[in-house]
Amino acid sequence: MSKNLGNVAGGLKATLKNPNVSEEAKESAAERLDSGNFETEATELSRSRPDELKNEGNVIGGYKATLKNPRVSEEAKDHAEEVLRSKGIDVEKE
């Protein structure tokens, strides 16, 4: 299983700020952060494979939620409905 480099970098940064972590662990985290550019690599990865990184079920769920959210514009609801229909999902706006 591959790791999300952005999450790894975030965890290392959290280690640096956590008062309950030993100095040795903080030094190790700092060295790992200095040795690689995690944010850049994660960003490049997401740009090169944007569809592979998204969970299709979550994407569909987000569009369905858009249709039911009273704070969402009609234009956004129309777009969500269009996307869902293009995926073969029949839905009705509320």
Side-chain angles (χ1 to χ4, degrees):
M1 172 183 251
S2 65
K3 296 180 181 179
N4 181 315
L5 298 176
N7 289 349
V8 172
L12 293 170
K13 289 176 183 178
T15 298
L16 296 175
K17 294 184 185 272
N18 187 337
N20 298 321
V21 173
S22 69
E23 286 304 314
E24 183 179 336
K26 288 182 181 184
E27 288 173 13
S28 174
E31 287 174 12
R32 288 184 62 198
L33 277 170
D34 290 342
S35 69
N37 192 346
F38 291 99
E39 292 173 282
T40 302
E41 290 178 26
T43 301
E44 288 173 7
L45 183 62
S46 67
R47 285 186 187 146
S48 66
R49 303 179 316 177
D51 293 334
E52 292 177 33
L53 297 176
K54 295 178 183 173
N55 179 323
E56 189 67 17
N58 289 352
V59 172
I60 291 169
Y63 282 120
K64 286 182 176 180
T66 298
L67 295 176
K68 297 176 187 256
N69 188 338
R71 295 182 178 173
V72 174
S73 70
E74 284 303 311
E75 182 179 337
K77 288 181 180 186
D78 290 342
H79 174 72
E81 185 176 16
E82 184 179 310
V83 170
L84 289 169
R85 289 190 192 280
S86 74
K87 294 182 180 295
I89 300 168
D90 191 32
V91 294
E92 292 183 27
K93 290 190 293 186
E94 287 189 6

